[in-house]
Amino acid sequence: MEAQPIPKAVCGSITRIANFPSKYVLARNVDVWLPDGYSPQKKYAVLYMHDGQMLFDSTTTWNHQAWDVDDTMCRLLAEKKVKDCIVVGIWNTNLRHQEYFPQKAFYSLPDAERQKILAIGKDGGSPLLGNGPVSDNYLKFMVKELKPYIDSHYSTLADRENTFIAGSSMGGLISMYAICEYPKVFGGAACLSTHWPGTFTTVDNPIPGAFITYLKKHLPSPQGHKVYFDYGSKTLDAMYKPYQLRADTVMQNAGYDEHNWLTREFPGDDHSEASWAKRLAVPLMFLLKPPSN
C-alpha cells in the first residue's frame, strides 16, 4: 500500500499500523485514534470504522473531506456524552465493494440474478464485484486478526458491550452485516447512508430485497445490541428512504425500540463525508452512551 501521511489529530493522537497483514484479505493500513489522556490504567471501549483513510484529516483525503471523528469524539468526551473510547480506522482497498457487500445475501439470490450483478462494470474493464463478494473474509480479518491485536496492544474493554462498528454507504451495509454475523462480538452498529441498492440503480434491482430478507433472518436479539441507521435526501441518499422504511419494519417486528434502535432522516444531507461529519455525534451518543446517563 502506498505511503501516505498519518492524519493529524485535532486532539488526541493517531498511530498507524502500516500494512496490517492478514491471511484473509489484502494487507492495509489501520489508523488508531487515542483520546487525550489515554492511559493503560483505564479501560476503553473500541469503535471500529471502515474507510479508515477518510475519518480524521481532510488534508490527506482524495476529496478533501473527512468525517472529523477526532473533533467530534473529543467534544463528546469533554461533555461526558460518550464513554471512554478509542477508534480503529480500517483502510479500504481497491476491493472495497467486494469486501463491504454482504456475501450471504448475494448468494441467496438465484444464479441468473447473481450473474447480472457480476456483469455490472465489466464492459468498462472494472467489474463492480469482481468474481463476487468477499465480505465474509473481511469480517474474519476484523474479528480473528485485527480485534485480538487491538485488545492485546491497547487497554480495551474487549467484551461485546464495549465493541462497536460503524461506516457509511457500503460501509453501512458491512456494519449491519457484521453485527448479524458476529452478534457475540459486536454490541452496536452505526450504519450511515446505508447503500441498500448495492449497485447504482433502483430499477429492477433484486439486491435490496435480498438484504432486507437477510436482515429479517439474521438480525440479533435486541437484548445486548444497538443498531443505528440514517439517510439524507440528496445525491445517492435520495434512493434510500423506501428501503430504509422496509428495514425499519424488520427492526420493529424483531422487538427493537427506542432503547436499542434509532433511524434518523436528515433532509438536505447528501452522500458525503461532510454530511456524515455533521451528524456523527448522533450515532456516537446513541451507541457510546455512558452507563450513568
Side-chain angles (χ1 to χ4, degrees):
M1 181 167 282
E2 64 187 85
Q4 279 192 261
I6 295 175
K8 290 185 173 63
V10 168
C11 63
S13 63
I14 296 170
T15 54
R16 172 162 298 159
I17 309 159
N19 292 314
F20 190 101
S22 169
K23 65 182 181 186
Y24 298 110
V25 292
L26 295 173
R28 77 223 31 234
N29 293 337
V30 175
D31 290 340
V32 181
W33 177 83
L34 304 175
D36 280 333
Y38 170 83
S39 164
Q41 274 67 58
K42 290 170 76 173
K43 292 283 188 182
Y44 297 80
V46 184
L47 172 63
Y48 293 89
M49 296 188 71
H50 313 289
D51 295 315
Q53 59 265 61
M54 306 301 294
L55 299 179
F56 300 108
D57 180 357
S58 62
T59 67
T60 65
T61 66
W62 67 271
N63 64 356
H64 308 296
Q65 294 184 33
W67 288 61
D68 298 334
V69 174
D70 49 329
D71 307 55
T72 302
M73 282 294 298
C74 284
R75 175 170 62 81
L76 294 178
L77 283 165
E79 294 170 356
K80 300 192 177 346
K81 290 181 177 173
V82 294
K83 60 173 86 174
D84 290 328
C85 184
I86 71 174
V87 179
V88 178
I90 307 162
W91 282 42
N92 66 46
T93 69
N94 58 0
L95 299 181
R96 178 179 183 269
H97 220 87
Q98 288 168 264
E99 289 185 339
Y100 291 2
F101 195 111
Q103 190 164 335
K104 289 183 176 63
F106 176 80
Y107 284 106
S108 73
L109 290 166
D111 183 62
E113 300 284 11
R114 295 202 304 268
Q115 294 309 316
K116 270 193 225 170
I117 295 162
L118 291 177
I120 295 170
K122 276 192 174 166
D123 293 345
S126 181
L128 190 65
L129 275 178
N131 295 319
V134 293
S135 51
D136 286 353
N137 272 347
Y138 176 71
L139 293 184
K140 281 180 188 169
F141 147 67
M142 286 190 64
V143 169
K144 298 177 184 294
E145 296 174 331
L146 181 58
K147 185 179 188 301
Y149 178 94
I150 296 296
D151 289 336
S152 64
H153 286 74
Y154 296 92
S155 186
T156 67
L157 293 161
D159 60 332
R160 176 180 72 185
E161 189 182 351
N162 291 286
T163 305
F164 304 92
I165 191 161
S168 63
S169 192
M170 293 300 295
L173 282 177
I174 192 64
S175 299
M176 178 270 288
Y177 193 52
I179 201 170
C180 291
E181 290 291 298
Y182 291 94
K184 293 181 180 174
V185 175
F186 298 106
C191 314
L192 287 75
S193 295
T194 311
H195 190 61
W196 297 109
T199 60
F200 301 102
T201 179
T202 57
V203 179
D204 193 25
N205 185 348
I207 296 170
F211 289 157
I212 301 293
T213 299
Y214 169 85
L215 185 64
K216 200 179 297 181
K217 289 180 180 172
H218 298 280
L219 183 66
S221 160
Q223 277 71 48
H225 298 96
K226 285 182 161 186
V227 181
Y228 171 91
F229 293 108
D230 73 19
Y231 55 97
S233 64
K234 292 185 175 177
T235 60
L236 278 180
D237 277 44
M239 294 195 286
Y240 297 157
K241 185 171 184 174
Y243 305 125
Q244 186 59 57
L245 292 176
R246 289 171 64 188
D248 291 350
T249 299
V250 173
M251 301 298 292
Q252 288 168 327
N253 291 342
Y256 278 78
D257 61 25
E258 70 274 11
H259 301 294
N260 43 36
W261 160 55
L262 179 61
T263 292
R264 287 281 306 270
E265 180 179 11
F266 291 90
D269 277 15
D270 64 6
H271 196 83
S272 68
E273 286 76 19
S275 286
W276 302 321
K278 199 166 62 172
R279 63 187 193 246
L280 179 60
V282 180
L284 291 183
M285 287 190 294
F286 179 67
L287 291 188
L288 300 170
K289 186 177 179 180
S292 55
N293 285 8

